[in-house]
Amino acid sequence: MINTLLLELTETNKHDPRRINHGFKVYCIAKLIAYMEDLDTRTSTIIEAAAILHDIAIRFVETNYISSSGKRQEEYGSIIARPILESVSKDNEFIERVLFLIAHHHTYEDISGIDYQILIEADFIVNVDEGNITLKAFLNAREKFFKTSSGIMLSKKYLRR
């Protein structure tokens, strides 16, 4: 299933290596944090699927709204991701949780669940690395939103801060 989602990420973002690489990086960091937090297989798979598909709507939003607005990504992400997830799983509870995470990955209030927490942390780490947010903004976000010891530790190793 995960490899199929990774292939879908490359298809949806074909000819856009920056977007493909972003998805791969968020996936790898989220998977590593989930492993370090010793999560069960189901929760880890939810995290991995959400990390791969979290920005699946970005090209659609840019094309139709001339912006990459996080709120628009959340709005359209679950619409675009649903048929992809339904093609790889018949587990409705799994699909709905992944869709929820995609639809909230730019919402930082009321983070509910370790899967949501890890997705947020992984995306922040990759976004600072890619220059999508400033180091100052990242350090503020880490202080405010990071909760897992693994995400905090990894971000410090990753950024030397």
Side-chain angles (χ1 to χ4, degrees):
M1 173 189 351
I2 295 301
N3 288 332
T4 301
L5 295 177
L6 288 167
L7 287 170
E8 185 61 39
L9 170 69
T10 65
E11 181 60 30
T12 301
N13 292 288
K14 65 182 163 194
H15 310 299
D16 192 346
R18 185 172 59 94
R19 293 282 196 284
I20 294 168
N21 288 334
H22 177 82
F24 284 174
K25 288 188 258 183
V26 173
Y27 160 69
C28 286
I29 290 173
K31 181 176 178 155
L32 181 58
I33 294 171
Y35 168 77
M36 294 167 66
E37 292 292 313
D38 197 29
L39 300 181
D40 62 273
T41 301
R42 181 177 178 78
T43 304
S44 295
T45 304
I46 289 169
I47 293 165
E48 291 173 34
I52 293 165
L53 298 177
H54 77 285
D55 277 348
I56 201 72
I58 198 164
R59 289 182 73 181
F60 174 85
V61 170
E62 287 175 337
T63 300
N64 291 283
Y65 294 96
I66 320 300
S67 133
S68 60
S69 159
K71 287 299 165 196
R72 293 267 192 219
Q73 287 179 52
E74 289 180 333
E75 180 182 350
Y76 288 99
S78 57
I79 295 167
I80 293 168
R82 180 177 291 282
I84 297 167
L85 289 165
E86 288 174 345
S87 76
V88 297
S89 177
K90 301 302 176 213
D91 181 341
N92 195 52
E93 187 178 302
F94 169 85
I95 291 169
E96 292 304 319
R97 184 59 182 173
V98 173
L99 293 175
F100 173 84
L101 296 174
I102 293 167
H104 293 86
H105 78 278
H106 286 290
T107 304
Y108 309 123
E109 302 86 38
D110 301 320
I111 296 172
S112 57
I114 190 71
D115 48 4
Y116 191 173
Q117 185 64 49
I118 290 173
L119 178 60
I120 297 294
E121 291 177 11
D123 199 26
F124 266 121
I125 290 169
V126 173
N127 279 324
V128 73
D129 172 63
E130 293 176 344
N132 298 329
I133 60 173
T134 66
L135 179 58
K136 182 178 179 181
F138 172 77
L139 294 173
N140 183 50
R142 182 174 69 191
E143 179 69 27
K144 198 170 180 184
F145 302 120
F146 278 44
K147 302 289 186 245
T148 71
S149 58
S150 303
I152 293 166
M153 185 268 301
L154 187 59
S155 73
K156 288 179 179 178
K157 286 184 176 184
Y158 204 77
L159 299 171
R160 295 188 215 184
R161 291 182 166 229

